[in-house]
Amino acid sequence: MDTTSPTAFQIRDLNSWYGERQALSKISLSIPEHRITAIIGPSGCGKSTFIRCLNRINDLIPGFRVEGRVLFKDQDINDPAMDPIEIRYRIGMVFQKPNPFPKSIYDNIAYGPFLWGTKKGPPMDATVEESLKRAALWDEVKDKLHQSALALSGGQQQRLCIARALAVEPDVLLLDEPCSALDPIATARIEELLLELKKSYTIVIVTHNMQQAARVSDVTGFFLMGELIEFGETKQIFTNPKDRRTEDYITGRFG
């Protein structure tokens, strides 16, 4: 892996717990900017916990605690002086199941910018249009912006959620199994979108789909039982893994 490329995150000795149960143990890795990093591993291995540590959304879970450093652009996001709300705007997140608000398509996109002070009218109109274009959804919804977002298909709803995250102009986009509830055609649209978005954003995606990780990611991390087993260029991970456990998982011997 090219260690000279700029990094968005430097994670050092990250440990986390839900109450007394340890979920992550001594995770250390660097996530490169403007590339797609895939996090793979069997259910319960800590993938979702890890990605949620990158924007402190785990803070909302009672009993959760974390140790170690998560440096984002050389700032430790766990520093008490850091505002977690601002962190979540700079580091957007899209969840496994599409979760549009029960509002219009327009209001879904406008929600975040409005909270941050952008007024409705021409500036907001431009933000909504640009966000939907970035999410490859504009042409499909431009004539029904004031209809309910809940009337969209599952794949459209997921792209809407991506557009909503992009509307506040984040630096990073985190996606936690964004295609697991989608059909193959919708999945392909999301994958095409991610390949386009990495030109402007750093992307981290959790996926159970080995083929998806191989298709879209530049680097891959394999997690097992809360530990990072292997991290490197995706091609190397999938064709010449250094750890037998990585090979066993990728070839379907377990998981």
Side-chain angles (χ1 to χ4, degrees), residues 38-199:
I39 305 298
I40 64 173
S43 297
C45 69
K47 301 187 302 294
S48 292
T49 297
F50 171 75
I51 199 173
R52 290 165 183 245
C53 284
L54 300 182
N55 71 346
R56 287 184 56 178
I57 204 166
N58 285 323
D59 291 9
L60 304 173
I61 300 173
F64 181 83
R65 62 189 177 93
V66 64
E67 292 178 355
R69 307 190 76 193
V70 178
L71 299 178
F72 173 60
K73 296 187 181 295
D74 298 322
Q75 291 184 296
D76 190 345
I77 68 169
N78 293 313
D79 188 310
M82 296 289 284
D83 180 357
I85 303 299
E86 182 175 349
I87 289 169
R88 290 170 201 147
Y89 273 97
R90 294 180 67 191
I91 306 170
M93 186 148 194
V94 176
F95 296 93
Q96 179 175 1
K97 183 179 178 181
N99 61 340
F101 301 143
K103 300 174 179 287
S104 70
I105 294 167
Y106 184 101
D107 286 342
N108 264 268
I109 306 301
Y111 183 82
F114 183 72
L115 288 181
W116 279 85
T118 303
K119 303 300 182 186
K120 291 190 175 181
M124 184 70 83
D125 293 347
T127 295
V128 170
E129 180 176 345
E130 180 60 24
S131 300
L132 288 167
K133 283 181 175 177
R134 288 179 181 174
L137 191 57
W138 173 253
D139 289 342
E140 297 168 46
V141 303
K142 62 184 178 182
D143 296 324
K144 47 186 178 183
L145 294 177
H146 298 289
Q147 295 180 20
S148 172
L150 300 179
L152 296 174
S153 70
Q156 288 174 325
Q157 287 186 13
Q158 195 63 296
R159 279 183 283 145
L160 178 72
C161 292
I162 291 173
R164 187 174 65 195
L166 298 179
V168 295
E169 300 182 1
D171 298 304
V172 177
L173 192 60
L174 309 176
L175 302 107
D176 192 354
E177 297 195 54
C179 301
S180 65
L182 304 182
D183 62 56
I185 294 174
T187 295
R189 293 293 302 274
I190 297 290
E191 291 179 2
E192 291 169 5
L193 173 60
L194 296 182
L195 292 171
E196 183 64 27
L197 289 175
K198 78 171 182 178
K199 299 173 184 176

